[in-house]
Amino acid sequence: MTELFGIPLPALLGQLLLGLVNGSFYAMLSLGLAVIFGMLNIINFAHGALYMMGAFFAWMGLEYLGLNYWFMLGLAPLAVGVIGIVIERTMLQWLYKLDHLYGLLLTFGITLVIEGVFRSFYGVSGQPYQVPDALQGATNLGFMILPNYRGWVVVASLVVCFAVWALIEKTSLGAKLRAGTENPKLVQAFGINVPRMVTLTYAGGVALAAFAGVLAAPILQVSALMGSNLIIVVFAVVVIGGMGSILGSILTGLGLGIVEGLTKVFYPEASNTVVFVVMAIVLLVRPAGLFGKEK
């Protein structure tokens, strides 16, 4: 059997794939966080709870309504986006001119409420969600066996992440979004409804989290704690990439997922802390993050 650095090649590639899958989730979640912080200046700690809500909506759609995975892949993010609109209009809109701490505390409270509701109904043991029939099984690539669903997760995440980046950075709509956050009064003078634009930006950010939740449902147990187990790592990814950096969040999320996967091969004891070690090193060298802008 072929070995690389003393590790069997199939085992090494398997861990790389696992790291890339985790990195895909990190990228999508940190992208949503970066969009919300970059456009709204809010640290959205509720992101993990809304990710969990997306996974639960997919499970409930199948369990109670018989709606399959593909239908819920579109419906669950839409439903969570509507909830995001309600949150932004009723609570967050009053905090934009205040210190970041207020937004962090409010969204942390929202997280506790959402998790508490789902824990009271479904507990914390987790609910299984079956891989859709079209993506079951695996493909032999010659050098490794690729589970079809994990390959789909990586491809879908990359397509969505870079589509969002292109929308924000390369289109007139993205230019309006960026201008609306930097100088809202001037943009409103041109007849653009800035409050509505901000609301839809928050809805879009949390819809990304819900989309990641639906992708994660067949891989992980759908539980009330699945968001809280992930959100701290995702915040570290955002800090490393640079707060508010769209491209930085995507590249850093994917890269750190791979680093985490390789760490599980060569030094498993450090796999749960390697992201935070990287964060500490980056902050010492470049406090604004790898892709952030110094102020």
Side-chain angles (χ1 to χ4, degrees):
M1 182 178 292
T2 305
E3 293 188 354
L4 190 63
F5 304 113
I7 306 294
L9 187 60
L12 181 61
L13 292 175
Q15 284 299 325
L16 278 174
L17 174 63
L18 181 60
L20 191 56
V21 170
N22 289 337
S24 298
F25 293 131
Y26 295 161
M28 289 200 67
L29 288 168
S30 61
L31 172 61
L33 278 175
V35 168
I36 291 170
F37 181 80
M39 303 296 174
L40 280 67
N41 212 28
I42 289 286
I43 300 175
N44 185 39
F45 200 87
H47 215 64
L50 295 165
Y51 157 81
M52 174 270 294
M53 190 181 289
F56 254 112
F57 280 178
W59 177 83
M60 288 188 288
L62 181 62
E63 186 74 11
Y64 300 137
L65 303 175
L67 301 176
N68 65 26
Y69 169 87
W70 302 106
F71 191 85
M72 294 309 298
L73 195 61
L75 183 59
L78 183 62
V80 173
V82 171
I83 293 172
I85 290 174
V86 174
I87 291 173
E88 195 278 335
R89 283 289 85 193
T90 57
M91 290 176 274
L92 291 181
Q93 68 164 326
W94 313 109
L95 303 180
Y96 294 146
K97 295 182 179 179
L98 301 179
D99 189 88
H100 295 318
L101 182 61
Y102 292 95
L104 179 62
L105 291 174
L106 175 61
T107 53
F108 179 67
I110 293 171
T111 297
L112 296 180
V113 171
I114 294 173
E115 287 185 355
V117 169
F118 280 92
R119 287 179 67 178
S120 65
F121 281 100
Y122 300 105
V124 295
S125 58
Q127 310 291 336
Y129 190 89
Q130 188 176 0
V131 173
D133 294 338
L135 295 174
Q136 290 186 0
T139 301
N140 189 346
L141 300 179
F143 54 90
M144 69 174 294
I145 303 297
L146 174 67
N148 293 335
Y149 187 77
R150 294 179 185 272
W152 154 252
V153 167
V154 174
V155 172
S157 300
L158 288 175
V159 169
V160 170
C161 285
F162 284 104
V164 172
W165 171 78
L167 176 68
I168 293 174
E169 298 291 340
K170 303 296 182 180
T171 67
S172 60
L173 175 61
K176 292 175 183 176
L177 286 172
R178 297 194 304 274
T181 55
E182 293 177 7
N183 196 332
K185 291 184 179 180
L186 179 60
V187 174
Q188 279 187 307
F190 284 95
I192 297 173
N193 191 329
V194 173
R196 180 189 299 169
M197 192 165 57
V198 168
T199 301
L200 293 178
T201 299
Y202 185 79
V206 300
L208 280 173
F211 185 83
V214 179
L215 289 179
I219 296 178
L220 307 173
Q221 288 279 313
V222 180
S223 74
L225 300 180
M226 63 185 293
S228 59
N229 295 336
L230 191 62
I231 191 63
I232 301 301
V233 176
V234 173
F235 266 110
V237 171
V238 174
V239 171
I240 293 169
M243 292 294 287
S245 173
I246 307 299
L247 185 60
S249 296
I250 298 171
L251 298 180
T252 305
L254 293 170
L256 287 176
I258 294 173
V259 168
E260 191 178 65
L262 289 175
T263 306
K264 289 179 180 178
V265 175
F266 295 104
Y267 190 40
E269 295 84 354
S271 60
N272 292 328
T273 58
V274 63
V275 172
F276 303 103
V277 172
V278 172
M279 181 181 72
I281 294 172
V282 169
L283 289 178
L284 286 173
V285 176
R286 187 174 169 80
L290 295 177
F291 297 87
K293 296 179 180 179
E294 299 281 355
K295 292 185 177 180

